Amino acid sequence: MEVLPYDLRRAGSGPVRALPPIQHWAGGLAALDRDRARRPSRRPVVPPLAADRGPDAAAQATEPDRAPRVLGVDEFAFRKGCTYGTVLVDVEAGRVVDVLPDRTSETFAAWLTEHPGAEIICRDRASAYTKAVREAAPRALEVADRWHLLQNLSAAVEKTCHQHRDCLRKRAEEETATEVPEPPPMLLPPAELPRTQIIERTRHRYEDIHRLLEKHWTVSAIARRLNLDRKTVRRFRDTDLDELLASARERRPNGVLEPFKAYLNARFTEAQGQVSGTRLFLEIQARGYRGSRQVVRKHLAALRAGTAEPVRADIPSPRKITSWIMRPRNTLTESQDQRLLQVRLACPDITRACDLARAFADLVRHQRGYLLLEWILQAEQDAPKPMKGFAGFLRQDLDAVTAGLTLPWSSGVVEGHVNRVKTLKRAMYGRASFELLRTRILTQT
């Protein structure tokens, strides 16, 4: 009689008669299953969802009869760019009180009507929520969020730096001209924009958007047709093609040849174009160039054809300038402070925007709301156009902004719950129904 291995017979006792192959393995697996059933399970116990925990959990997820005294409201995306909901938070208690299926003023106004009691409402600059508060809770004090105010100010400063980038370029070119002697004149073909992928894409996108605009298409319809964001469509609608092309050219990354282009251009002009690519390659290689010879030959071919880009001066980007302006002065390094000073000397409009931005940031950080109207008057007098637009926005929402710069309340707690909603959505792979998502948001686990 053949005896099975120990692993296949330890669940029973004594010798076991050999079986045919199929019955042999089936019997062995059954024995293993019986053995595992006797062992304690190590699998973690997953608690049931709030929707499955009975009437107690359902009671926790029900909406209150009255609104909290300090109510925070903000939107969150079910699907970004398509559908949005609204989360309502008790700012004092730090908990969510309800979730609405959309972000329309009608839905929020109906909720405020059914749940009176809100005395202070913290919000961002969303106009739909403002309209709902004025209709359903006119006695409530609206408080604009300070972080969103600084974000809007930063956008206005960055737009000012974009519009006045030519001032920085002109000053950089003047400094370069005083430092480097001008090479002898040489007749070259007229310069053209290089046919790069990003420049060609910018041209085609501009043509497509304006062709649809001529047919009276809306911004949303164009965005859906071309698979673009609506902000991108508005930027191509409101900006000249030359400015878009200049911006696209500046977005090109600095290549390995970029630090040596000034030397190559000077040598090329000095030799009247009668110089070999191999010779120039060896010269810049001795100066630290680590690229290939083909890149040098391609640049020389572009110089002869007149399609080479001019050597770009070391100009800080608008976003970098904005970061220097918006940060507290004592956090800037010595080199950053020096470069910001050079930018201020190059452009008076950026200087004015910098002074106004720092003054407004001081109002926000020190909660000096009583000086807001004076700041708005100064900005409306002689500020650059984007800063004037920001000041106009503040004037339209003067009471809420003044309250935001005076009272301690803000939408920070609400933004934290919006991030929690994103986590819950991802945990359910974005497939939860509104009722299930609302239950999980409202139930404190």
Side-chain angles (χ1 to χ4, degrees):
M1 180 176 61
E2 184 180 355
V3 179
L4 292 177
Y6 172 75
D7 287 339
L8 295 181
R9 64 182 177 88
R10 64 179 179 177
S13 60
V16 180
R17 181 175 298 177
L19 298 173
I22 296 180
Q23 298 181 12
H24 175 89
W25 287 107
L29 292 176
L32 286 176
D33 290 339
R34 289 193 299 271
D35 187 39
R36 288 172 182 171
R38 299 189 185 99
R39 303 176 189 174
S41 176
R42 297 181 181 178
R43 183 176 300 176
V45 178
V46 180
L49 294 176
D52 300 330
R53 292 206 295 259
D56 294 337
Q60 295 179 13
T62 56
E63 58 185 76
D65 296 332
R66 293 181 61 83
R69 189 180 74 89
V70 184
L71 177 66
V73 56
D74 202 358
E75 63 185 22
F76 68 92
F78 292 113
R79 184 179 178 187
K80 190 173 182 180
C82 298
T83 55
Y84 288 82
T86 300
V87 59
L88 305 177
V89 178
D90 185 345
V91 177
E92 291 181 304
R95 61 180 181 83
V96 179
V97 295
D98 205 353
V99 182
L100 306 182
D102 55 48
R103 58 176 178 178
T104 61
S105 60
E106 294 80 9
T107 303
F108 185 39
W111 191 92
L112 290 175
T113 303
E114 296 173 0
H115 306 80
E119 300 177 7
I120 300 174
I121 298 179
C122 302
R123 58 167 177 80
D124 56 12
R125 58 177 300 182
S127 58
Y129 298 144
T130 304
K131 181 180 177 182
V133 172
R134 292 174 182 173
E135 291 178 358
R139 295 185 179 180
L141 176 63
E142 298 180 68
V143 178
D145 184 55
R146 291 184 288 274
W147 185 88
H148 286 92
L149 293 176
L150 290 176
Q151 184 188 42
N152 297 333
L153 173 65
S154 177
V157 173
E158 185 173 354
K159 191 171 183 180
T160 302
C161 296
H162 267 294
Q163 292 179 352
H164 296 277
R165 194 166 171 78
D166 290 338
C167 301
L168 307 180
R169 187 179 295 108
K170 183 178 179 180
R171 182 178 178 84
E173 291 174 354
E174 291 175 355
E175 292 177 353
T176 305
T178 56
E179 296 174 359
V180 181
E182 184 177 355
M186 175 183 177
L187 295 177
L188 291 174
E192 299 178 359
L193 280 175
R195 297 287 179 175
T196 59
Q197 182 179 2
I198 188 172
I199 289 179
E200 291 301 314
R201 185 183 66 189
T202 302
R203 290 182 187 273
H204 296 325
R205 184 172 292 175
Y206 182 86
E207 294 172 357
D208 294 340
I209 290 175
H210 280 265
R211 184 177 66 252
L212 296 177
L213 287 173
E214 291 175 357
K215 297 180 180 179
H216 305 289
W217 283 44
T218 63
V219 172
S220 299
I222 296 175
R224 288 192 297 268
R225 175 65 179 271
L226 302 180
N227 196 22
L228 298 173
D229 190 85
R230 287 176 295 181
K231 291 184 291 187
T232 303
V233 176
R234 293 191 189 98
R235 184 166 66 89
F236 274 77
R237 180 194 64 184
D238 302 333
T239 310
D240 295 334
L241 178 60
D242 294 337
E243 185 176 347
L244 292 171
L245 292 176
S247 177
R249 182 177 57 190
E250 291 164 0
R251 287 201 304 270
R252 296 186 63 201
N254 292 330
V256 68
L257 190 63
E258 193 68 31
F260 306 93
K261 282 186 178 180
Y263 177 80
L264 292 177
N265 293 356
R267 289 281 291 113
F268 181 83
T269 307
E270 178 185 352
Q272 299 290 311
Q274 304 300 319
V275 61
S276 67
T278 302
R279 181 176 178 180
L280 292 180
F281 168 74
L282 295 176
E283 290 180 7
I284 64 174
Q285 191 178 45
R287 288 168 169 79
Y289 175 67
R290 293 295 178 265
S292 66
R293 186 175 310 188
Q294 186 63 27
V295 176
V296 179
R297 290 177 177 173
K298 186 177 180 180
H299 180 67
L300 293 180
L303 286 175
R304 294 189 178 98
T307 60
E309 290 187 70
V311 179
R312 291 177 285 180
D314 185 15
I315 302 174
S317 65
R319 180 165 296 181
K320 184 174 293 185
I321 298 173
T322 304
S323 69
W324 295 339
I325 293 174
M326 296 300 299
R327 286 164 55 186
R329 304 177 193 179
N330 55 1
T331 62
L332 297 178
T333 63
E334 185 177 353
S335 60
Q336 292 172 344
D337 192 46
Q338 185 64 27
R339 296 200 68 183
L340 180 58
L341 177 60
Q342 295 175 0
V343 170
R344 289 169 60 92
L345 293 175
C347 182
D349 288 326
I350 295 181
T351 301
R352 184 58 178 156
C354 176
D355 294 337
L356 289 171
R358 285 179 166 176
F360 186 84
D362 288 338
L363 298 184
V364 174
R365 294 188 180 103
H366 301 289
Q367 295 187 356
R368 297 170 180 168
Y370 58 91
L371 298 176
L372 176 61
L373 187 58
E374 181 181 350
W375 186 93
I376 293 176
L377 293 175
Q378 293 179 2
E380 290 176 341
Q381 288 178 0
D382 56 354
K385 188 176 179 180
M387 298 297 291
K388 286 184 178 179
F390 175 70
F393 152 70
L394 297 180
R395 182 178 287 277
Q396 293 176 1
D397 204 15
L398 184 61
D399 294 338
V401 176
T402 304
L405 301 186
T406 306
L407 301 177
W409 308 111
S410 70
S411 298
V413 177
V414 187
E415 295 294 339
H417 280 287
V418 170
N419 286 333
R420 177 171 167 263
V421 170
K422 295 178 182 178
T423 303
L424 293 175
K425 283 174 47 192
R426 290 166 184 159
M428 294 183 286
Y429 301 95
R431 294 179 177 271
S433 64
F434 170 72
E435 292 300 331
L436 177 58
L437 181 60
R438 176 179 178 273
T439 301
R440 294 204 65 185
I441 295 173
L442 293 178
T443 304
Q444 300 294 328
T445 56

